[in-house]
């Protein structure tokens, strides 16, 4: 039981802690404040609750891709499309040209490689860029090296590397990595894809790739997968299953040196 004296002491500590935190927040010195255009983009980011699905430097939601370095990866045409008609699970926002320009300015000024890299799920960033980026680099290296199974085959399974590579590309151009994490279930419950080929039969896997699993929260793939795409993606998932141990080790090694300068992060510019 807390005595009245201890309760007063605890309350005093809490009030003091709040005061110290407040002082640190409002004394934050920002040597590179956002421009007017970027502040307008930040207002849109906040108004549309973008942080519910997206992250900056690992802070935010997990449903959509991390946008830390989106300005370096997404060209203007693609950005306009994303902010007007949406893509996959991202709803159409119907942004005007001025709003799109403001959001582009915000993303551009938040893209600061000197601070560090976020948990990227697109592109080919450098080492230490997060699990998804490291996973993609590990797969690229494995495909580029050929394999333990000899020239033209993957992982000793006799798979055609070209078909596996096509499946990997089909995976990358769709928002699969927005929900699925490498070698583990994601926080939103999406399963480990490296186990999919083993847990689902061929017919079930093909049906999931064609129709999704809406009742379990997985929408149909966008853009849709045709017969050739599904065959290639199946080959890629079989490749992941056959080489899971090696690819997981390579992914962990590439992500081990992830660097982030927390002290330079402009926290109060985007929450």
């Amino acid at each position: 039981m807390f005595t009245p004296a201890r309760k007063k002491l605890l309350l005093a500590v809490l009030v003091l802690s709040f005061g110290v935190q407040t002082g640190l927040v409002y004394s934050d010195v920002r040597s590179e404040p956002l421009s007017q255009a970027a502040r307008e983009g930040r207002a849109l980011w906040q108004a549309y609750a973008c942080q519910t699905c997206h992250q900056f430097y690992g802070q935010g939601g997990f449903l959509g891709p991390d946008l830390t370095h989106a300005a370096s990866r997404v060209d203007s045409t693609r950005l306009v499309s994303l902010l007007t008609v949406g893509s996959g699970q991202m709803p159409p926002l119907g942004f005007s040209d001025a709003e799109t320009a403001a959001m582009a300015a915000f993303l551009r000024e938040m893209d600061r490689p000197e601070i560090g890299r976020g948990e990227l799920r697109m592109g080919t960033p450098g080492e230490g860029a997060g699990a998804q980026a490291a996973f993609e680099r590990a797969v690229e290296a494995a495909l580029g090296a050929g394999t333990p199974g000899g020239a033209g085959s993957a992982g000793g399974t006799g798979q055609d590397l070209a078909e596996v590579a096509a499946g990997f590309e089909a995976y990358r151009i769709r928002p699969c990595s927005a929900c699925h994490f490498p070698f583990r279930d994601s926080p939103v419950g999406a399963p480990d894809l490296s186990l999919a080929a083993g847990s689902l039969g061929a017919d079930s896997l093909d049906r999931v790739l064609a129709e999704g699993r809406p009742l379990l929260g997985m929408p149909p793939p966008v853009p849709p997968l045709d017969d050739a795409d599904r065959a290639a993606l199946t080959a890629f998932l079989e490749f992941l299953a056959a080489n899971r141990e090696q690819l997981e080790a390579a992914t962990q090694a590439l992500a081990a040196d992830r660097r982030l300068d927390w002290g330079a992060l402009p926290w109060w510019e985007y929450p």
Side-chain angles (χ1 to χ4, degrees):
M1 294 289 295
F2 281 108
T3 64
R6 287 185 176 180
K7 289 180 179 179
K8 290 180 181 179
L9 177 61
L10 178 59
L11 179 61
V13 170
L14 290 174
V15 170
L16 178 61
S17 298
F18 178 77
V20 170
Q21 181 191 35
T22 301
L24 291 173
V25 169
Y26 287 100
S27 64
D28 179 45
V29 177
R30 291 167 292 195
S31 59
E32 298 181 35
L34 295 177
S35 67
Q36 177 60 36
R39 288 198 295 274
E40 292 173 2
R42 180 185 62 186
L44 290 168
W45 170 273
Q46 295 169 337
Y48 284 85
C50 302
Q51 70 275 10
T52 301
C53 295
H54 299 284
Q55 300 181 14
F56 276 126
Y57 298 98
Q59 302 298 309
F62 289 91
L63 186 59
D66 185 301
L67 299 183
T68 306
H69 303 290
S72 302
R73 306 187 318 268
V74 181
D75 63 32
S76 58
T77 301
R78 176 63 172 160
L79 182 61
V80 170
S81 175
L82 289 170
L83 295 177
T84 53
V85 301
S87 176
Q89 297 181 82
M90 179 171 174
L93 299 178
F95 273 24
S96 66
D97 291 346
E99 289 172 326
T100 299
M103 184 60 75
F106 178 56
L107 293 175
R108 187 167 54 250
E109 293 185 28
M110 290 303 298
D111 184 356
R112 296 175 57 186
E114 74 277 10
I115 292 178
R117 307 201 70 91
E119 187 71 15
L120 299 184
R121 298 172 190 153
M122 299 171 62
T124 53
E127 292 186 13
Q132 180 61 35
F135 166 69
E136 294 187 8
R137 292 190 68 224
V139 171
E140 289 171 348
L143 291 174
T147 64
S153 66
T157 63
Q159 289 177 290
D160 181 354
L161 279 177
E163 186 175 35
V164 173
F168 178 45
E169 185 60 23
Y171 160 84
R172 288 210 292 188
I173 66 174
R174 291 168 176 80
C176 308
S177 62
C179 295
H180 294 280
F181 282 18
F183 310 113
R184 64 185 177 95
D185 292 348
S186 76
V188 296
D192 177 354
L193 291 182
S194 68
L195 302 176
S199 61
L200 296 173
D203 291 342
S204 296
L205 180 57
D206 188 71
R207 187 162 52 253
V208 169
L209 294 177
E211 305 170 2
R213 281 180 162 178
L215 295 180
L216 297 178
M218 177 181 170
V222 178
L225 294 160
D226 60 24
D227 291 347
D229 287 333
R230 293 200 304 277
L233 194 46
T234 297
F236 172 60
L237 294 176
E238 291 173 347
F239 167 78
L240 287 185
N243 298 276
R244 189 179 192 278
E245 185 176 341
Q246 300 94 310
L247 289 171
E248 184 175 15
T251 296
Q252 291 174 349
L254 288 168
D257 295 328
R258 182 181 177 193
R259 176 187 62 81
L260 183 58
D261 183 357
W262 297 98
L265 191 61
W267 293 105
W268 316 113
E269 295 292 3
Y270 63 83

